[in-house]
Every structure is written in C-alpha cells, then in structure tokens.
Amino acid sequence: QVQLMESGGGKEQPGGSLSLSCVYDETIFTPYRLAWYRQTPGNQREFVADSMSDGPRNYANFVKGRFTVTRDRAKSTLYLQMNGLNPEDSATYCCNGVFVVSQGKSATSWGRGTQVTVSY
C-alpha cells in the first residue's frame, strides 16, 4: 500500500489561511488521482478537491474560490492552500491517492489525516 502523510493542520482564526501538505510515495506506483477529503465527527467523509495526473483539478462547491490544490511532482507532494477559512471548515483533512498498479488495475490509499480548527 502506498504511504500518504499529511501535515500542516492547526488552529486558525476565521478569515485566515492554512496550507496542508501530503507527501506520497510513488517509487512503486504512479498516482493517477490525488485528492483531499475532510470529515467531522459523526459525519461522512466529503470530497474537497482533487488533482488528476493529466492536469484537471476539481473542487467542491463550498471551497471554490477559497481553496487551491496543487501538486509538486518533483517532491511527490500534494498541497491544499486554504484561504478565507470559516468555522465550517473545521475538520480532519485526509489525503487520498489512486495509484496505477498495472494495466486496468489501481489501488487506493488514505493518509491518517491532519486536524484543522477554525475559531477565535
């Protein structure tokens, strides 16, 4: 299984910014899709943003214009720049990767997550 490790969470005031990072190991398998999800206690995990290997990025409506997902292939790192934070953005943010194992076969991995808290 491919290892994913998030960092960068913490506490920020409403209106502030945080940047999350997810380092992945692609020495064995190439990532096809890398994504950020978030989850709060008692709720289902929800999609935040993703970055496809061929370029397109997608965002959940509730983060459009505020969050930006980028990928540094040289560093094998996925980023999530979060601006204009509000208390509803408080959650555990998890990194997800879909990796090409062989032709027609893929594997999915999850990081353990990093906590983001937005409050005064």
Side-chain angles (χ1 to χ4, degrees), residues 1-3 25-33 53 97-109:
Q1 187 174 7
V2 178
Q3 299 289 328
D25 181 4
E26 62 177 322
T27 58
I28 301 177
F29 303 124
T30 301
Y32 168 72
R33 173 182 183 261
S53 61
V98 179
F99 296 84
V100 178
V101 174
S102 62
Q103 188 173 5
K105 186 177 180 181
S106 63
T108 299
S109 293

Side-chain angles (χ1 to χ4, degrees), residues 45-81:
R45 187 180 291 160
E46 62 180 355
F47 168 76
V48 176
D50 70 8
S51 173
M52 307 301 289
S53 61
D54 55 355
R57 304 171 191 172
N58 304 288
Y59 296 91
N61 287 335
F62 56 78
V63 303
K64 282 184 178 177
R66 299 189 300 126
F67 292 9
T68 303
V69 62
T70 57
R71 180 174 163 184
D72 187 330
R73 296 174 187 269
K75 295 182 178 179
S76 297
T77 302
L78 181 73
Y79 300 97
L80 184 67
Q81 177 64 41

Side-chain angles (χ1 to χ4, degrees), residues 3-31:
Q3 299 289 328
L4 302 171
M5 183 172 294
E6 305 93 340
S7 63
K11 184 177 179 180
E12 182 59 69
Q13 293 187 356
S17 299
L18 282 174
S19 181
L20 306 182
S21 300
C22 171
V23 179
Y24 53 91
D25 181 4
E26 62 177 322
T27 58
I28 301 177
F29 303 124
T30 301

Side-chain angles (χ1 to χ4, degrees), residues 36-40 44-48 62-63 66-67 88-94:
W36 289 100
Y37 287 77
R38 69 187 189 184
Q39 188 171 22
T40 54
Q44 288 190 336
R45 187 180 291 160
E46 62 180 355
F47 168 76
V48 176
F62 56 78
V63 303
R66 299 189 300 126
F67 292 9
E88 291 71 33
D89 294 320
S90 298
T92 299
Y93 285 72
C94 296

